Amino acid sequence: MKEPRYLVNDPYTADPSAHVFNGKIYIYPSHDIESGIPENDNGDHFDMRDYHVFSMESIDGEVVDHGVVLDVKNIAWAGRQLWAPDAAFKNGKYYLYFPLKDKNDIFKIGVAISDKPEGPFIPQENPIKGSYSIDPAILDNGDGKFYMYFGGLWGGQLQRYRNNKAMECGAEPADNEPALCAKVAALSDDMLEFSEEPKDVVIIDESGAPLKAGDHDRRYFEGPWMHKYKGKYYFSYSTGNTHKLCYAIGESPYGPFEYKGVILTPVVGWTTHHSICEFKGKWYLFYHDSKPSGGKTWLRSIKVIELNYNEDGTINTIDGMI
Ligand code: FUB
């Protein structure tokens, strides 16, 4: 697969989290809509209200839309904006994790449960205790343990927190200070809470120093993903205002992770958000761009392309414009 494939033409979709369940690929994306809200750095124009789930039996096969699987009006604690979700499977149940602003306009992370990968999903009454910011991504570590990676700057509100506590007035650190980090927390056995305080996902450079806040080409912004390849932990993410997908490699779910390079160069659109998934012996990058909507940053379309590794475990960079 040399060329990317757009997966869904209608509705607009973004932030595709792909997993293989029961031998099929399931995709859990955001559902973009035309909200009419002007574009701003707070992301108010991303005013999404529900989720669809999509599945496919082969990478070039039919993409099935399973319809609305969770609606904001059925979430008791909801304020607004259902952003990028992810899903996990454990002991016969499927869990959908989603960021949503509460009634005070503060992003928290919720969880909803289903017996089937395609939903529908029933939300819990309250968000996960101690959760904040956006973009949950779940690692099934294969040893019975599951970890959530999360966090996103600016509209995702991560800059408002230090040491898991909200601050009066949050901003990114000065350019020469360590960058803010994504967070990671192990999940409880029932998958419904954190079993520990979230920890920093530290990305270091080749000298072992944490990336600096001013290093906009490499520092973490949003959209975390974790996958394992040949026993190593690959943490990948968006650099936000420099519009790249980058990756860093570590020895454990907690890192630290050494910066290794760019997976995807900028796409048409502002946001870049992805997942990485192995299916039938090949690796794939799921991502989105705004080409089909003519560049409207809030109306995105999900795509897939094959991902290739080199012998040394580095990833070949993909051109975001193809
Ligand atoms: O889709 C809304 C937000 O845009 C996501 O949560 C971010 O990762 C960015 O893609």
Side-chain angles (χ1 to χ4, degrees):
M1 189 184 201
K2 298 256 179 298
E3 297 292 319
R5 175 190 178 197
Y6 283 101
L7 294 168
V8 183
N9 298 323
D10 181 28
Y12 285 111
T13 50
D15 312 324
S17 293
H19 292 275
V20 177
F21 295 133
N22 306 327
K24 287 192 209 175
I25 298 176
Y26 285 86
I27 305 169
Y28 301 85
S30 302
H31 174 192
D32 284 358
I33 54 167
E34 180 59 82
S35 66
I37 298 172
E39 201 169 354
N40 59 32
D41 279 352
N42 202 31
D44 290 322
H45 48 303
F46 295 108
D47 192 23
M48 295 88 99
R49 296 172 192 173
D50 62 28
Y51 294 117
H52 288 227
V53 171
F54 300 87
S55 67
M56 46 208 239
E57 297 197 7
S58 62
I59 205 71
D60 50 6
E62 184 195 359
V63 180
V64 177
D65 180 352
H66 295 280
V68 175
V69 301
L70 179 63
D71 193 303
V72 73
K73 58 180 189 277
N74 297 325
I75 302 172
W77 56 276
R80 61 182 180 131
Q81 295 182 295
L82 280 173
W83 282 13
D86 192 20
F89 171 72
K90 185 181 178 188
N91 294 342
K93 299 273 185 215
Y94 295 85
Y95 298 87
L96 183 71
Y97 297 89
F98 57 90
L100 172 67
K101 282 182 180 161
D102 67 10
K103 295 180 196 307
N104 297 316
D105 236 22
I106 304 297
F107 266 117
K108 303 251 165 78
I109 296 170
V111 54
I113 307 172
S114 178
D115 293 329
K116 293 179 288 181
E118 69 272 27
F121 290 87
I122 309 297
Q124 295 294 102
E125 281 294 302
N126 294 298
I128 292 174
K129 282 192 284 299
S131 70
Y132 57 93
S133 196
I134 59 167
D135 291 357
I138 309 297
L139 170 71
D140 175 352
N141 199 37
D143 58 357
K145 288 200 155 173
F146 290 77
Y147 298 85
M148 182 190 291
Y149 298 83
F150 65 93
L153 291 172
W154 305 355
Q157 303 179 342
L158 183 62
Q159 68 280 2
R160 296 191 193 171
Y161 295 83
R162 296 292 186 280
N163 300 316
N164 301 318
K165 302 271 180 308
M167 299 160 63
E168 261 315 287
C169 155
E172 281 192 81
D175 282 358
N176 60 352
E177 290 180 23
L180 292 177
C181 296
K183 307 291 164 191
V184 55
L187 294 176
S188 55
D189 282 345
D190 65 6
M191 302 289 276
L192 302 179
E193 300 291 346
F194 295 153
S195 66
E196 61 183 356
E197 286 271 302
K199 298 172 171 49
D200 280 348
V201 177
V202 178
I203 303 170
I204 54 176
D205 64 17
E206 51 295 340
S207 75
L211 296 187
K212 296 274 198 315
D215 188 352
H216 290 200
D217 278 324
R218 300 191 296 176
R219 65 97 167 82
Y220 177 81
F221 188 92
E222 65 181 2
W225 191 256
M226 177 62 73
H227 75 282
K228 284 162 82 173
Y229 178 78
K230 294 194 173 168
K232 305 264 191 215
Y233 290 81
Y234 283 62
F235 178 70
S236 45
Y237 57 96
S238 164
T239 59
N241 55 326
T242 50
H243 316 289
K244 295 179 211 169
L245 291 178
C246 294
Y247 72 107
I249 300 179
E251 302 290 335
S252 94
Y254 295 107
F257 299 92
E258 187 179 331
Y259 179 86
K260 288 292 175 186
V262 175
I263 297 176
L264 183 75
T265 60
V267 297
V268 172
W270 199 97
T271 66
T272 187
H273 188 122
H274 75 300
S275 63
I276 293 170
C277 179
E278 186 182 19
F279 186 59
K280 297 185 177 164
K282 291 189 169 181
W283 288 88
Y284 296 96
L285 178 76
F286 292 79
Y287 61 113
H288 67 230
D289 69 25
S290 297
K291 257 193 219 170
S293 72
K296 289 186 179 144
T297 57
W298 61 97
L299 294 179
R300 302 161 292 178
S301 298
I302 58 172
K303 319 167 70 167
V304 63
I305 192 167
E306 195 173 337
L307 186 78
N308 291 297
Y309 297 84
N310 299 305
E311 275 299 303
D312 63 0
T314 54
I315 293 175
N316 282 339
T317 303
I318 296 165
D319 178 356
M321 288 297 165
I322 59 172

